[in-house]
Amino acid sequence: MMQVITPQKLSGAVQIPPSKSQAHRAVIAACLAGGCSYIQNLAFSEDIAATVNAMQIFGAKINRGENAVTVIGSKPEPPENALIDCCESGSTLRFLIPLAFIAGKPVRFTGRGRLPERPLDPYYEICKQDGIITRREGNELFFCGTLQGGTYRLPGNISSQFITGLLFALPLLKKDSVIELTTPLESAGYVDMTLGILSQYGICVKNENYKRFIVPGNQSYTPCDLTVEGDYSQAAFYLCANAMGSHVRVQGLNPDSCQGDKEIISIIERFGSPLKGTTIDVSQVPDLVPVLAVLASQAEGETRIINAGRLRIKESDRLQTVTEMLSALGAQITEGEDFLLIRGTHGLKGGCVNSHNDHRIAMAAAIAATVASNPVTICDSECVAKSYRNFWDDYHRLCGR
């Protein structure tokens, strides 16, 4: 599908969709709890649907409503040689692999797009340590074995998703465990979110300054009803549009949220009014980069987006695709190994953007269209369904043509 946008500022109110990151975690925790949990304000994006379907294969009973689920959970018990289709969801894959090691049965994982290329080395090291069999056959990953518990050492600068995956599984072991980070933790806000959800579902983890996580064994998840917060990652698109002259009333956000991408508010404040270039360390907020680069293109002077190397292993190589997107629209942008350098200009010329099937590239291009002088065409625009199924409906209602 292709969207052709006639440039116009956005105006009106929008209800921000539920946090995808919090929804993944709430669904998994509820499915591990021995009893009934109710999760509301849930949007069934492609990623969340992948997690819901996977947890049903693991043995949970899930009744889907329009924007909620009722869950009867249990300890993971997949059928023999179960196949878990993660679609393109890195969270689903990395959160659930350790749960496959609880039952000790053969389990296969599959996915599409760039998901099979995304690194899993920390888990492979754990498999070697605990004698878990692994092999890859095309896009399928095969695992068979059981987590033993004990001390697990892994880097903190590849993805916090590996830590979250272990934090879900280790409390279910008989033996106590420790997660030791060998490098400083990036995206700490996502680990905070995991710890918060675990606490709500009755799981105790001791966080020693984000260097060690002590996880007692023999714990049980307890049922909990939960309302998913609005997603700051998605709100960032409209907040950046506002900083460039739109007037969108963003509704549904929790001002006290621990979501890491809440940092978008202070980052926009640093750009000031009128917008002036700045330096942004995105090691803790990598998902904000596509729309921040659009905002930087309208700021006077230079903006440096640094510590962004992990963006190369997202749904696309986002350093490359952000550079390609903004260059096609007339911005001045330079791509480095782990940074972007953007020289501000007044407005963009418009043009044709290849989303590379990356939801955040497509949505960032839509926001860029609000400051373009000519129409912006976005190819493969349906990819927004990965995280924000109703994005184009909301965009059109806000007068984006």
Side-chain angles (χ1 to χ4, degrees):
M1 188 173 71
M2 186 163 55
Q3 290 282 346
V4 180
I5 303 173
T6 301
Q8 183 173 337
K9 295 293 190 289
L10 305 181
S11 178
V14 64
Q15 185 72 24
I16 294 301
S19 165
K20 183 164 68 84
S21 298
Q22 190 180 63
H24 278 299
R25 290 160 171 80
V27 167
I28 293 169
C31 289
L32 297 174
C36 182
S37 300
Y38 181 70
I39 303 171
Q40 59 183 339
N41 194 32
L42 194 70
F44 292 100
S45 64
E46 291 176 353
D47 282 11
I48 296 304
T51 290
V52 168
N53 294 338
M55 293 310 295
Q56 288 178 303
I57 294 173
F58 274 116
K61 295 180 174 62
I62 303 175
N63 182 25
R64 287 175 55 159
E66 184 176 350
N67 62 348
V69 290
T70 302
V71 178
I72 306 295
S74 65
K75 192 173 181 179
E77 195 63 43
E80 197 79 13
N81 208 28
L83 177 63
I84 308 296
D85 186 354
C86 300
C87 298
E88 293 189 57
S89 174
S91 294
T92 305
L93 178 65
R94 288 170 172 167
F95 291 173
L96 299 191
I97 283 176
L99 290 181
F101 304 155
I102 298 298
K105 294 182 178 180
V107 176
R108 294 172 295 145
F109 290 86
T110 190
R112 44 189 174 271
R114 279 172 55 94
L115 184 63
E117 303 171 27
R118 296 173 76 170
L120 293 172
D121 292 346
Y123 283 159
Y124 293 143
E125 291 301 317
I126 287 170
C127 289
K128 290 179 184 177
Q129 176 178 326
D130 283 359
I132 296 169
I133 297 170
T134 69
R135 69 173 180 267
R136 178 187 291 272
E137 298 174 354
N139 282 349
E140 286 190 8
L141 294 170
F142 173 90
F143 298 94
C144 184
T146 306
L147 276 177
Q148 301 300 311
T151 298
Y152 298 97
R153 296 178 178 85
L154 63 159
N157 63 341
I158 296 180
S159 174
S160 64
Q161 292 172 344
F162 296 111
I163 300 163
T164 288
L166 286 173
L167 288 173
F168 277 126
L170 295 179
L172 299 173
L173 303 180
K174 293 181 180 180
K175 187 176 179 180
D176 297 346
S177 299
V178 175
I179 301 172
E180 289 188 355
L181 300 188
T182 58
T183 60
L185 176 62
E186 295 185 1
S187 297
Y190 288 104
V191 174
D192 287 337
M193 185 184 295
T194 302
L195 295 174
I197 291 292
L198 289 173
S199 177
Q200 286 182 270
Y201 284 87
I203 297 297
C204 175
V205 176
K206 184 178 180 182
N207 175 7
E208 294 190 342
N209 199 31
Y210 301 99
K211 295 179 180 178
R212 298 173 82 242
F213 298 90
I214 299 174
V215 188
N218 279 318
Q219 297 191 64
S220 298
Y221 286 79
T222 56
C224 173
D225 296 342
L226 184 144
T227 300
V228 180
E229 299 175 353
D231 195 335
Y232 275 92
S233 303
Q234 312 296 15
F237 293 99
Y238 300 114
L239 296 174
C240 286
N242 286 346
M244 297 186 297
S246 289
H247 300 281
V248 180
R249 298 189 304 280
V250 178
Q251 301 172 339
L253 296 175
N254 175 10
D256 299 319
S257 174
C258 69
Q259 293 178 51
D261 285 348
K262 180 183 169 185
E263 183 68 16
I264 186 62
I265 295 173
S266 62
I267 292 174
I268 290 174
E269 289 174 350
R270 282 167 49 197
F271 274 100
S273 181
L275 298 170
K276 293 188 177 180
T278 185
T279 297
I280 310 167
D281 183 337
V282 296
S283 58
Q284 302 297 328
V285 288
D287 285 344
L288 297 181
V289 167
V291 75
L292 282 177
V294 172
L295 181 61
S297 75
Q298 302 307 297
E300 180 183 348
E302 291 187 350
T303 296
R304 292 181 65 88
I305 295 175
I306 63 173
N307 293 327
R310 284 191 297 143
L311 287 157
R312 296 200 181 277
I313 54 173
K314 296 289 187 178
E315 285 83 346
S316 67
D317 177 342
R318 283 191 184 148
L319 292 184
Q320 178 181 328
T321 54
V322 166
T323 300
E324 181 183 308
M325 179 260 292
L326 280 175
S327 295
L329 298 179
Q332 298 182 41
I333 179 169
T334 301
E335 171 193 350
E337 184 177 352
D338 66 347
F339 70 88
L340 295 173
L341 175 63
I342 302 132
R343 297 171 181 84
T345 182
H346 293 293
L348 297 170
K349 68 178 184 180
C352 185
V353 171
N354 183 348
S355 73
H356 293 278
N357 201 39
D358 188 329
H359 54 134
R360 299 200 190 277
I361 299 298
M363 289 187 280
I367 300 307
T370 67
V371 292
S373 56
N374 294 297
V376 172
T377 301
I378 304 172
C379 301
D380 295 325
S381 58
E382 69 276 10
C383 63
V384 299
K386 185 176 192 295
S387 63
Y388 190 166
R389 186 173 295 276
N390 297 325
F391 175 77
W392 294 118
D393 293 336
D394 287 347
Y395 189 89
H396 295 155
R397 282 193 301 99
L398 295 168
C399 303
R401 297 176 187 166

